Amino acid sequence: MVSNKSCGGLIFKMKELSKEHYDFSCCLIKYDREIIFLDKLVYDKDSLVDIDHSVVPLCWDHKHNDPEKVIGKVLLEDREDGVYVYGTLFDNAAKFDVRRLIEAKTIYISPYLNQVKIKNHHLTYGKVREVSLVLSRIDPDECYRPVWNGMEEN
């Protein structure tokens, strides 16, 4: 589905991001599970605000202050066990490189949160501002590896 967006008199055609039209998907956050490397932080269910069906930028290595490092966007889906993402990459030279890294299972996905509130090692409040593809992750669980759409998980 294509929608027209107006910005200062200019009209842009944008493909809608949905669970049916995406380049990759994976788990972003698991609820009620300790992240050992973050001082045993636990994400509580319902601690993340306005998350379900929101779209946030996809960046490379949390470099959200550099427009060239914004490489796409992700649709966030709040599920019973955690937050999942459906990502799409912008059509540029980086798309081919990122796809190769995803298919080779050499990158992870990581959230960037702000307005965070923590009580007794539990995240009680936070907003996801962007999601990044990163080379290493503080919690090396396989669920955080993106899977290219159409590629089978092992």
Side-chain angles (χ1 to χ4, degrees), residues 8-69:
L10 299 173
I11 296 178
F12 298 93
K13 292 191 176 200
M14 300 173 61
K15 186 169 63 170
E16 289 294 320
L17 183 60
S18 70
K19 287 174 53 175
E20 291 78 34
H21 300 96
Y22 63 93
D23 292 324
F24 67 89
S25 63
C26 75
C27 172
L28 178 65
I29 294 168
K30 282 191 172 182
Y31 294 135
D32 301 320
R33 180 177 169 273
E34 286 185 350
I35 301 175
I36 296 168
F37 297 103
L38 275 180
D39 200 21
K40 297 186 178 183
L41 180 67
V42 176
Y43 287 95
D44 288 343
K45 174 96 173 104
D46 300 325
S47 61
L48 300 173
V49 187
D50 300 327
I51 195 163
D52 201 26
H53 303 294
S54 62
V55 176
V56 297
L58 175 67
C59 299
W60 181 257
D61 200 28
H62 296 296
K63 306 275 194 270
H64 50 263
N65 57 349
D66 182 353
E68 290 184 11
K69 301 299 182 189

Side-chain angles (χ1 to χ4, degrees), residues 57 125 129 141:
Y125 185 87
R129 293 301 185 187
D141 192 321

Side-chain angles (χ1 to χ4, degrees), residues 68 71 89-100:
E68 290 184 11
I71 58 175
L89 299 167
F90 296 142
D91 288 325
N92 59 24
K95 185 172 185 172
F96 177 75
D97 294 331
V98 170
R99 179 179 179 159
R100 284 188 328 176

